[in-house]
Each structure stands twice: as structure tokens, then as C-alpha cells.
Amino acid sequence: MSSPVFAGVEAGGTKFVCAVGTGPEDLIREVIPTTTSSETLGHVVRFLRAQARPLTAVGMASFGPVDLDPHSPTYGYIASTPKPGWSNVDLRGALHRELGLPVAFDTDVNAAALAESRWGAAQGLDNVLYLTVGTGIGGGALVNGAPLHGLTHPEMGHIFIPHDLQTDPFLGICPYHADCLEGLASGVAMERRWGVKAELLPADHPAWALEARYLARALANLVCTLSPRRIIMGGGVMHHLDLFPMIREHLREVLRDYVQAPQIVPPLLGDDAGVLGAMILAQRIVT
Amino acid sequence: MSSPVFAGVEAGGTKFVCAVGTGPEDLIREVIPTTTSSETLGHVVRFLRAQARPLTAVGMASFGPVDLDPHSPTYGYIASTPKPGWSNVDLRGALHRELGLPVAFDTDVNAAALAESRWGAAQGLDNVLYLTVGTGIGGGALVNGAPLHGLTHPEMGHIFIPHDLQTDPFLGICPYHADCLEGLASGVAMERRWGVKAELLPADHPAWALEARYLARALANLVCTLSPRRIIMGGGVMHHLDLFPMIREHLREVLRDYVQAPQIVPPLLGDDAGVLGAMILAQRIVT
């Protein structure tokens, strides 16, 4: 009997990544620029319909905020988002109606955590934290092998950390919370604070020490709350790999041996984590 | 066939609470003062051996830090604790060897979350946060119905929250982290800051507004990380019930409608949550 074929769709603010196959070794990929919701979703549906092999299920991993409550009338919708034309869009329903297939739905970061725990930097671990530090900051997690959500989904980018205005007078750029983690330490915050894009800051710029301190403070809170077995940190800002040893050192300092720090590692699946995680989501609803 | 009989033991720094029965309606309780480890555990063993009905399993819910990793050589031990004579004590092993029964083991706060979700203030909910604010601050959680732990167990009392030294120059009392949540907002911190025990502070004292602000900040972080469906707040400090509406209001303010705040309620099981949760732990390992 041939292996079942699954589709994964990672819905992002700039592109939708689609993949169809039986696993990472057998994948057909398509990248679709994010334009209007109807055009973009139409493109996704055409790609999935064009597949020669019949699909068993579809998994969707989306940017947020999204509604993950299967009992909610807006399950699978993007909620209000600053992205024009994408608020209250029924992402999951559009695919489900057009394709007539089961469609699993979760956040992009939870999907990335799933994929990294199956094929990537956290193989075989059931309690994993995935934090992406890019334009914004987002976190996903597996707890006992399942994506973490409850009343809504985690918004780890919006936790508060100590912010000493005397040493760092920057007020933060989060439109909701000013100096929450994302407001202080996202790629956009770095650019706004230093007047230059993060990737253009030289390795000896004080920006990196400050960034490592803020991220370590955030990790301390996340470790004390979730106790993950491993932390994967991805996203554009983390491409500056010097951050890893700096964050590890600060985290140990901040936790003070009272709480054990887990390993902190870069992702192994890179840009594919989201869409591979979406395929695992698809698998999970039919098995 | 008669219902299986389980034992629960809540191990606390001042007392051990034991209970034997089939559920909350059928319980024999015994409270044992915490003295030396051998004396206290000997007392627990004698009580459990003296039961007329045969026990199926024992659950133990302990103060911490404890080792919850079943693969660890110190599984079921209390780790280093400031309590004299209780560091590196093999709590679980002592009961297991003396009684020859399966012994489940978790933190007191995870057990309380379990009990409140079965019989208390979070009935039927699978994603629950239980925070106790007393001498210290501790948090337990259920995620998808199971107690939350990973590399170690959560230490939610030790998360960091913004602390403005200009409006609150108190430096915090945590011996590890100074002004972490427990360092700023535990019962001991309140007593040290205001020079009087929390329960003696009048209702119009500014202590309560400050306490509500700190606890709301902490809840904001916990909500953004765990997304619980309900939050139960217990412990001595929370006996000041005026805190509940103040915390709810601050939390909504802090989250700014970006993240939905769950209900925040007092426990229903009071002092019995820990030992009832321990009985559920016992049930869970044999069913």
C-alpha cells in the first residue's frame, strides 16, 4: 500500500508556502506571494487540485492571531490583523470547502515546533519551545508532544520583561504594549532603536549584548513557566549566530542555578519548518 | 465490584496531609506535622498501613524543587531545599519501598490544578493555571488535561516582571533572583516591605493596589505563554478577596485587548486541593 499523501500550507504575511508529499524526502513545493486573500487562497487551491496523487488531508499553519477553537464559529479564521484585507478571513474554511478534505489548523510557530521535534533540532523531544525573533517575535510549544493552546494561542512575543529606562531609554515599538518583549527586542525594534537594520549592525555593536540580555530575560520567564527540554530559536535576528552563546550565558546568570536551563539551539529545518509542521498537522487529524 | 481505594499524600513544609478513599465523598484524612524526614515519612507509612481497605496506588504531591523525571536516578527526590534535613530526600522511594505499591509523584501545585479541574473551580477544563500566593509563590498547570512539566517542573514564582524602582524602591527578597515575582509579591515580600503581615494590612492600604499590579503583570506573562482557559489563585495572600477584581481590571488593562484574559477565580477545594490532586495522580498511574 502506498503512503498517504498530505498537503501542508504555511500562511505567512509575505508568502504562502505549499507542499504536498509523504514526508521531507518526497515533497512538491510551491511558493505563492501573499496578495489579496481571495487571490492567494485561489492560488493555493489551484496548486493542491493540480496534484496527480489524491490528498488525504491538509494542514494549515498560519500567522496570527488566529482562532484555534474547533467549537468557535470563527474556527480557522485569522482574527483582526494589521495586514490590510486579511482580518476575519476564513482561511481554513476556504480550503475545506474548495477541496472537500479534512483541514487541520494551528499557528505557524506551533507547526515549526512540531516539525523540529520530528525531523529537526529537537528530534524525539515532547516538550519543546520554538521562538522566532524576526520582524516580530512569536513562540510555539509542544507539551507532551501536542501543540500548546488553550483559551486562545500563546502570544509569547508579548510577555513583559524588566526594562531599565536609565540604561535603555528606548520606549518600545509594540502598538499594544509599548515595551513588551516584541516592543523591545524584535527586528523592527532593533532597527528603530539603532537606526539601521539588524543585519547591518557590526558584530561588536552594543546592540547585540542588549539584544542577548532581553532575549535571555524572556527565556528565563518561558523556562520558569513551561520547562521545555530544548529551546529552538529561529527568525532573521537569530541569523546572527553570536547571539546563541551570549544568550546561553545570560540565561544561566539570570536563572542562578535555581532552575536548570535547557539547551538553546538554532532550527535545523530553516524555512521549511512551518510547511513541514503543517503536513504533520494534517497527518495528526487522520491518524 | 467495589471502587478501588487510593491514597494521596500532600508533602508540605509544615505538614503532610494524607487521605485514603475512593473520592472526595469517601475520605479518611490524617494531618502529620513536618519534623525530620524519617520521622514524618515513618508516620505517613504507619497511617497508610493501618488502613482496613487494600490500597491500589499512592499519589504524592510535594513542595519543591523535586525531580519529576522517571528516568532520573533521583526521580521522586526533593532536590536542594532551604528546609533543614529535607534536601535530597527520596520521598517517593520511601513510600514505594515500604508499601510495595505504585507511587505517582508530582508537585503540590500541579496536583492542586488537577483536583480543581476534576472537582473544583475549573471543572471540565483541560487547560488550567493554578497559582498560589502565600509565603512563596508557585504555579501549576494542566495542558490538555495533563500536569505540565518538561526538563524540570515550572517555577512560575520566579518569573521576572517589570519593577520600577522609582515608584517601588523595595529590592525584593528572593535569595536567588532578588526582585522576581516571588521576591516582590509573595507574602514574605509584603511583610518585609510594609513591616507587617499581609493579613494585618487594612483594605485601603496601598499595599493591595501594588500587589494587584504585580500579580496582574505576572498573569499577563503566564497568559501570553500558556493561554489557560481559567486561572485559579489560592494561597494566604489571596484570602484578601478584594484582590480578585483589582487583578482582573489590571490584567485587562495590561493585555490591551490584544490577548483575551481568562476568568480568574478562587479555588473551591481550599486546603484539600493538594491531597485530592495526589489521589488523582494515584488513579492516573493505574488506569
Side-chain angles (χ1 to χ4, degrees), chain A residues 64-65 69 127 143-144 146-156 158-163 166 176-177 179 217 220-229 254-262, chain B residues 64-65 69 127 143-144 146-156 158-163 166 176-177 179 217 220-229 254-262:
Chain A
D69 180 356
N127 289 67
V143 174
N144 299 324
L148 173 64
H149 32 84
L151 182 63
T152 61
H153 52 79
E155 286 284 353
M156 301 183 201
H158 295 275
I159 64 171
F160 293 95
I161 53 173
H163 173 207
Q166 306 219 281
Y176 299 96
H177 316 107
D179 64 349
R217 282 287 172 141
N221 284 0
L222 297 172
V223 165
C224 286
T225 306
L226 287 169
S227 202
R229 289 190 182 273
V254 163
L255 292 176
R256 295 249 169 211
D257 290 331
Y258 183 77
V259 177
Q260 195 187 340
Chain B
D69 180 356
N127 289 68
V143 174
N144 299 324
L148 174 63
H149 31 84
L151 182 63
T152 61
H153 53 78
E155 286 284 353
M156 301 184 201
H158 295 275
I159 64 171
F160 294 94
I161 53 171
H163 172 207
Q166 307 220 280
Y176 299 97
H177 316 107
D179 64 349
R217 281 287 173 141
N221 284 0
L222 298 172
V223 165
C224 286
T225 306
L226 287 170
S227 202
R229 289 188 183 275
V254 163
L255 292 175
R256 296 252 169 206
D257 290 331
Y258 183 77
V259 177
Q260 195 186 339

Side-chain angles (χ1 to χ4, degrees), chain B residues 1 29 51-52 57 62 104 134-135 178 184 197-198 201 227 239 244 253:
Chain B
M1 204 183 94
R29 289 168 99 261
Q51 299 304 310
S62 179
T135 313
L184 289 174
K197 277 185 185 302
L201 291 163
S227 202
H239 290 170
F244 282 90
E253 235 169 63

